[in-house]
Amino acid sequence: MLNDIYNQKILEFAGNVPHLGRLEHPQGCAKAHSRLCGSTVSVDVRMEKDRVVAFAQDVKACALGQASASILGRHVIGASKGELVQARDQLRAMLKENGPPPTNRFSELEFLSPVKDYKARHASTMLAFNAVVEAIENAEADAGVDD
């Protein structure tokens, strides 16, 4: 049964997480942690207008957290805050409400759809997207930008 969520594609994503590390002089930072499994993702961003122009992530997570961070890292540069909020919300809906997978630049999140049947794995799968949205919000708050 766990073979459904730890399939070859998810393991490929998990083994190839882009933008690992930390940024020098980030505008926004955030850390997301799953109490259930102990996974943690820390994210740094630099923004121009509402677009991500620099990104780094420190991922200490299970394979599902790594896979989600990998998909984020592949497509985050150039993404707007709105696209990232939408992807986070669509990922949450896909996992928790049997919603459709994201259709924007983060459509590869569809490969994580088997996780919906494993509620205990939802939090770790959401970490990277929760952290990047929070990091952008922190960057906006530090810059005095309102929504």
Side-chain angles (χ1 to χ4, degrees):
M1 78 186 154
L2 286 179
N3 288 342
D4 293 340
I5 59 173
Y6 295 108
N7 63 50
Q8 185 62 35
K9 191 66 175 170
I10 288 174
L11 294 176
E12 285 173 23
F13 284 128
N16 297 291
V17 181
H19 302 289
L20 287 174
R22 301 304 300 257
L23 288 181
E24 287 188 33
H25 312 296
Q27 292 171 312
C29 303
K31 183 177 187 177
H33 177 74
S34 170
R35 289 178 287 180
L36 186 63
C37 70
S39 293
T40 302
V41 175
S42 298
V43 168
D44 299 328
V45 295
R46 278 198 300 269
M47 308 290 293
E48 281 184 15
K49 300 191 182 191
D50 79 333
R51 301 266 173 201
V52 176
V53 295
F55 172 84
Q57 56 186 345
D58 182 22
V59 180
K60 296 190 176 20
C62 65
L64 296 172
Q66 291 175 13
S68 181
S70 178
I71 294 166
L72 173 66
R74 291 168 186 254
H75 306 288
V76 69
I77 301 297
S80 69
K81 176 186 178 185
E83 288 175 304
L84 289 158
V85 168
Q86 180 184 29
R88 178 203 59 194
D89 294 349
Q90 288 176 327
L91 175 58
R92 182 183 298 116
M94 180 182 80
L95 294 175
K96 298 184 179 296
E97 301 162 11
N98 204 27
T103 56
N104 61 12
R105 68 171 64 214
F106 299 101
S107 62
E108 288 176 314
L109 289 169
E110 74 178 300
F111 292 108
L112 293 168
S113 64
V115 178
K116 68 184 174 201
D117 296 328
Y118 302 91
K119 187 175 181 178
R121 305 293 196 257
H122 292 181
S124 61
T125 305
M126 293 293 307
L127 288 176
F129 282 86
N130 288 337
V132 75
V133 170
E134 183 180 345
I136 292 169
E137 290 170 349
N138 290 339
E140 290 174 342
D142 287 347
V145 175
D146 293 327
D147 284 334

